[in-house]
C-alpha cells in the first residue's frame, strides 16, 4: 500500500533533487475528500494488471490534481491540500459567489465611482474600467473572465455592497463548498497576507461554478468587446487603453488587451481571454476540448491554472499551482496542465481513485460516509431562470465542437449541451444563455 501512496521519482517524473529545491508542503494537511489527499507527495494508485501509464515526467508544480468532473473521483494528486497563494484563479470563487444574485442581471447598468477603484493593488491587471462611466454586469463579467481585470472585480464588489461584504460572502461560499484551505483577503486574487487556496479547493470551486450556465459561458469565451471612454477623453488619456499588459512583471495578470477611439460616440475595443490554453499563444496550441476555466499570475504566487476539458464521454478537471516558470517559461503552467489532461484521459480506467471532490454542505445528507447528495443545495442562477447573461452581446469561442459549445462573431456564445453531471441535481440542466 505504501508504494502506491508515494510512487518512486522515476514513475512520477518528480526528481528528488527538484523536490529538495522547492519549499516543502506541510506534514499535516486537510483530509477533505479522503485521507490520502492530506498526505504530502504524489498520490496515485494503478489498478493491478491494468498497465496504467506513468505520470508525466518533469512536473515542476508544487501542487496539482486530476479529477473526474462528473463522478468527483480524484485520479491523482500532488500535495492536493497545500495552502498556496491562488492569484487570479481565486476569481472563480468571486464569480461563483456573485453570479445569479439579485441585482446582478446581465443588463443591469452601474456607473463607476472613484472610490470603487481606490483600493486596487499596485500593478493590478485591468480591463480598462473608468470612473464616472456606466457598464453593464455583462461587460464587467467579460472583464473579469477574459481580461482578469481587478478593476472589474472591484466594480462588481462595489455593486455587492463593498469589498468587506464580498470577501465575507466568498469565505462563506468556500466553507459551503468544503474548500477549507481557502481564505479570501482580496476578492481579485491580488497577493495579500494570509490569502490561500489549494489545488483541491480550486478544483471544487471550478466544479461548482461550471454548473452555472452563465459562468460556463464567460469561462469559455475567447473574445468580446468592452466599452471604452469617449473620443475626447481617449485623446486626453493619450491612448491609455492601447498599452499592452505583460504577465512577466509586478502583480499584473497575463493580458494582452487594447483599444482605440473610432468615432464620436462611446468607443469599444476588443478584449481576449488571458487563458492561453483556451486561445493558444505562440507555440502553445489550444487544448482540444478545453472549456475554461481560469488562469492566474502574481509575483508571489507565480502561475496558477484550473481547467476543464472533455474527451469522448469523459470530462476532467485539472488544477496546477506554482510550476517552475523561472526555468521553464511562463507557458509552463499550461504545458503541465495539458500533460496532466493527457495522462488523465489515458489513465482514468486504469487507476483507482485516491479521493473525491466532496459535494457542497447543503447537498449532503446523513449517511454512512457523510457525503451522499441530498438532492438540493445547488444555487439557481440568472441563466437557469431564463435571464441569459450574454443575451444581446457579441462574443466568440475557441472551444472544441465536441463540447457542444458554439460561438461566432456577432452572435452570443451558446452553451446548450455540455454540463458537468454531478452526483447531485443541476437546476436548468442543458440551458445556456439565451440568444
Amino acid at each position: 500500500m505504501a508504494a502506491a501512496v508515494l510512487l518512486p521519482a522515476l514513475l512520477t517524473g518528480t526528481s528528488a533533487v527538484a523536490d529538495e529545491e522547492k519549499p516543502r508542503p506541510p506534514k499535516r494537511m486537510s483530509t477533505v475528500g479522503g485521507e490520502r489527499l492530506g498526505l504530502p507527495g504524489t498520490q496515485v494508485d494503478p489498478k493491478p494488471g491494468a498497465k496504467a501509464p506513468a505520470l508525466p515526467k518533469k512536473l515542476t508544480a508544487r501542487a496539482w490534481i486530476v479529477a473526474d468532473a462528473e463522478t468527483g473521483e480524484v485520479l491523482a494528486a500532488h500535495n492536493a491540500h497545500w495552502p498556496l497563494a491562488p492569484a487570479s484563479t481565486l476569481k472563480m470563487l468571486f464569480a461563483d459567489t456573485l453570479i445569479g444574485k439579485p441585482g446582478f442581471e446581465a443588463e443591469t447598468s452601474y456607473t463607476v465611482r472613484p472610490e470603487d477603484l481606490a483600493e486596487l493593488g499596485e500593478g493590478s491587471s485591468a480591463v480598462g474600467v473608468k470612473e464616472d462611466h456606466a457598464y453593464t454586469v455583462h461587460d464587467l463579467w467579460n472583464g473579469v473572465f477574459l481580461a482578469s481585470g481587478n478593476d472589474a472585480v472591484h466594480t462588481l464588489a462595489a455593486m455587492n455592497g463593498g469589498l468587506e461584504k464580498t470577501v465575507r460572502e466568498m469565505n462563506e461560499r468556500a466553507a459551503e463548498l468544503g474548500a477549507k484551505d481557502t481564505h479570501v483577503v482580496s476578492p481579485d486574487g491580488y497577493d495579500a497576507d494570509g490569502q490561500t487556496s489549494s489545488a483541491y479547493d480550486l478544483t471544487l470551486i471550478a466544479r461548482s461554478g461550471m454548473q452555472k450556465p452563465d459562468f460556463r459561458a464567460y469561462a469559455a469565451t475567447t473574445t468580446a468587446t468592452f466599452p471604452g471612454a469617449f473620443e475626447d477623453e481617449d485623446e486626453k488619456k493619450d491612448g491609455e487603453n492601447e498599452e499592452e499588459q505583460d504577465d512577466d512583471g509586478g502583480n499584473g495578470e497575463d493580458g494582452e488587451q487594447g483599444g482605440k477611439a473610432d468615432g464620436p460616440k462611446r468607443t469599444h475595443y476588443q478584449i481576449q481571454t488571458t487563458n492561453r490554453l483556451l486561445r493558444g499563444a505562440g507555440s502553445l496550441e489550444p487544448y482540444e476540448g478545453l472549456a475554461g476555466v481560469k488562469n492566474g499570475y502574481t509575483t508571489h504566487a507565480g502561475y496558477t491554472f484550473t481547467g476543464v476539458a472533455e474527451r469522448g464521454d469523459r470530462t476532467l478537471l485539472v488544477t496546477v499551482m506554482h510550476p517552475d516558470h523561472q526555468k521553464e517559461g511562463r507557458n509552463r503552467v499550461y504545458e503541465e496542465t495539458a500533460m496532466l489532461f493527457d495522462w488523465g484521459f489515458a489513465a482514468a480506467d486504469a487507476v483507482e481513485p485516491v479521493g473525491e471532490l466532496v459535494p457542497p454542505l447543503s447537498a449532503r445528507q446523513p449517511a454512512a460516509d457523510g457525503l451522499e447528495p441530498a438532492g438540493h443545495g445547488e444555487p439557481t442562477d440568472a441563466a437557469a431562470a431564463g435571464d441569459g447573461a450574454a443575451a444581446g452581446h457579441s462574443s466568440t469561442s475557441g472551444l472544441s465542437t465536441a463540447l457542444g459549445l458554439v460561438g461566432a462573431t456577432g452572435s452570443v456564445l451558446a452553451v446548450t449541451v455540455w454540463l458537468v453531471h454531478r452526483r447531485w441535481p443541476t437546476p436548468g440542466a442543458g440551458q445556456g444563455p439565451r440568444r
Side-chain angles (χ1 to χ4, degrees):
M1 176 63 73
V5 174
L6 294 174
L7 292 185
L10 181 60
L11 179 57
T12 64
T14 305
S15 70
V17 174
D19 282 343
E20 290 176 358
E21 294 174 350
K22 295 179 180 179
R24 296 287 186 177
K27 293 182 179 180
R28 298 183 63 181
M29 294 180 284
S30 170
T31 57
V32 171
E35 293 290 331
R36 292 180 61 172
L37 298 181
L39 298 174
T42 300
Q43 311 300 319
V44 65
D45 192 2
K47 292 179 180 178
K51 296 183 179 179
L55 283 162
K57 296 181 179 180
K58 298 181 180 179
L59 292 175
T60 66
R62 295 183 187 178
W64 53 260
I65 193 170
V66 182
D68 188 304
E70 297 184 354
T71 67
E73 294 178 346
V74 176
L75 306 182
H78 181 75
N79 300 327
H81 279 293
W82 189 355
L84 296 165
S88 283
T89 46
L90 194 64
K91 289 182 172 76
M92 294 189 299
L93 179 60
F94 175 76
D96 188 47
T97 301
L98 295 190
I99 283 180
K101 286 188 65 174
F104 285 83
E105 293 77 17
E107 297 304 321
T108 299
S109 182
Y110 178 78
T111 300
V112 181
R113 305 167 301 174
E115 57 266 33
D116 297 338
L117 306 177
E119 297 186 47
L120 282 173
E122 182 180 357
S124 283
S125 56
V127 66
V129 172
K130 296 179 183 294
E131 61 187 51
D132 300 323
H133 285 68
Y135 300 85
T136 66
V137 167
H138 174 69
D139 292 330
L140 294 169
W141 281 126
N142 274 332
V144 171
F145 277 88
L146 276 68
S148 203
N150 290 3
D151 50 354
V153 169
H154 281 240
T155 302
L156 287 163
M159 294 179 64
N160 190 51
L163 293 175
E164 183 177 348
K165 178 176 182 284
T166 301
V167 167
R168 181 176 70 252
E169 291 180 354
M170 289 174 66
N171 281 316
E172 290 170 352
R173 181 61 178 161
E176 155 68 11
L177 294 176
K180 295 185 176 181
D181 305 317
T182 299
H183 178 65
V184 181
V185 178
S186 179
D188 51 19
Y190 190 91
D191 289 340
D193 290 343
Q195 182 154 275
T196 61
S197 192
S198 65
Y200 182 89
D201 282 10
L202 291 174
T203 307
L204 276 186
I205 293 164
R207 193 182 189 213
S208 174
M210 291 296 287
Q211 303 311 304
K212 302 179 178 182
D214 287 358
F215 186 108
R216 291 204 303 272
Y218 290 120
T221 301
T222 57
T223 63
T225 58
F226 193 82
F230 293 88
E231 187 173 18
D232 58 340
E233 293 174 344
D234 280 337
E235 291 172 354
K236 293 177 182 178
K237 293 292 185 178
D238 294 326
E240 177 182 344
N241 287 326
E242 297 183 77
E243 296 179 4
E244 183 174 89
Q245 298 176 16
D246 187 348
D247 64 352
D248 273 343
N251 281 280
E253 180 62 38
D254 177 7
E256 299 169 6
Q257 320 304 338
K260 60 179 65 177
D262 55 9
K265 298 182 179 180
R266 190 170 189 182
T267 66
H268 288 74
Y269 51 93
Q270 187 180 83
I271 58 175
Q272 64 177 334
T273 181
T274 59
N275 180 346
R276 293 180 170 213
L277 210 58
L278 184 61
R279 64 174 170 85
S283 61
L284 182 70
E285 295 291 331
Y287 190 83
E288 183 179 355
L290 193 80
V293 175
K294 190 72 186 75
N295 55 300
Y297 171 80
T298 68
T299 303
H300 176 59
Y303 290 91
T304 58
F305 183 74
T306 297
V308 61
E310 183 181 71
R311 185 174 297 174
D313 61 355
R314 191 179 301 278
T315 305
L316 298 181
L317 283 159
V318 171
T319 295
V320 173
M321 300 186 76
H322 301 226
D324 186 359
H325 67 280
Q326 299 294 342
K327 294 181 180 179
E328 303 291 344
R330 65 186 186 179
N331 280 339
R332 189 63 186 177
V333 70
Y334 304 108
E335 293 166 350
E336 295 195 14
T337 298
M339 287 189 286
L340 287 168
F341 269 129
D342 287 345
W343 177 86
F345 286 120
D349 293 324
V351 296
E352 297 287 356
V354 295
E356 71 168 335
L357 301 177
V358 298
L361 291 176
S362 59
R364 306 178 194 177
Q365 65 184 14
D369 63 4
L371 297 177
E372 291 301 315
H376 65 277
E378 176 61 24
T380 60
D381 57 88
D387 295 327
H393 293 266
S394 298
S395 61
T396 60
S397 166
L399 297 177
S400 163
T401 56
L403 292 176
L405 302 180
V406 183
T409 303
S411 64
V412 103
L413 176 69
V415 184
T416 57
V417 178
W418 183 85
L419 74 158
V420 179
H421 301 288
R422 300 188 306 183
R423 295 184 302 161
W424 56 94
T426 303
Q431 295 182 20
R434 294 184 302 175
R435 290 184 181 274

